[in-house]
Structures are given as C-alpha cells and as structure tokens.
Amino acid sequence: MNAYLVTYDLSAPGQKYRCIKQIIESNYMWLHFMESNFIIKTHQSPDQIRDTLSRCLDENDSLIVIELSRDWASYGISQEAINWLYQNL
C-alpha cells in the first residue's frame, strides 16, 4: 500500500469540499492535516485516485496526487498527525 499527498483548490462557486472529504474518508486510510490536504494510503494509482475524486471537481478546480516517501519534515503539525505519519509512511 502506498501513501499519497492529495491537495486541491476548488475555485468555482458552490465548491464541493464536502464531496472530496466524504469520498476520501469512505474509501481510504487518511490523515486530514490542513484545509485542502489529505494524506491517504491505498493500493490505487495516482491516476485512479484522481479519477475517483474528479467527480467532485469543476473545470476551474485543481487537484494533485503525489506519492510520498518515508522522508519528510514538518512544522506546526499536531502530534496526532506526526504519529500517523510515523506509523503509515
């Protein structure tokens, strides 16, 4: 299982933040650590993740899915998030 950073910017009126959050929380192991950022674990590829989330996107929105490695650094992240990262990356 791989870990991915999913980050998005929903620009259109009537943004579908709830839609993205519901799909991620229903389908993946996840950490929601910043407003428009999740880290997820899945067997899916980045393309499959993008395609799954694309039903929540409008043409003016943006989304990127990046595979993560064990190497990372942070500042201002909760201890709970840090623990999740150590356990899941």
Side-chain angles (χ1 to χ4, degrees), residues 15-32:
Q15 301 143 338
K16 301 175 186 167
Y17 285 101
R18 175 176 261 178
C19 177
I20 287 183
K21 185 176 180 186
Q22 287 175 334
I23 289 174
I24 289 173
E25 290 179 354
S26 298
N27 294 288
Y28 307 107
M29 290 178 52
W30 56 272
L31 170 65
H32 188 204

Side-chain angles (χ1 to χ4, degrees), residues 4-9 36-38 46 49-50 53 57 61-67:
Y4 298 95
L5 172 66
V6 176
T7 186
Y8 46 91
D9 186 14
S36 296
N37 299 281
F38 277 87
I49 298 164
R50 178 206 54 216
L53 296 174
L57 302 176
D61 297 336
S62 57
L63 169 95
I64 189 166
V65 179
I66 302 171
E67 187 172 0

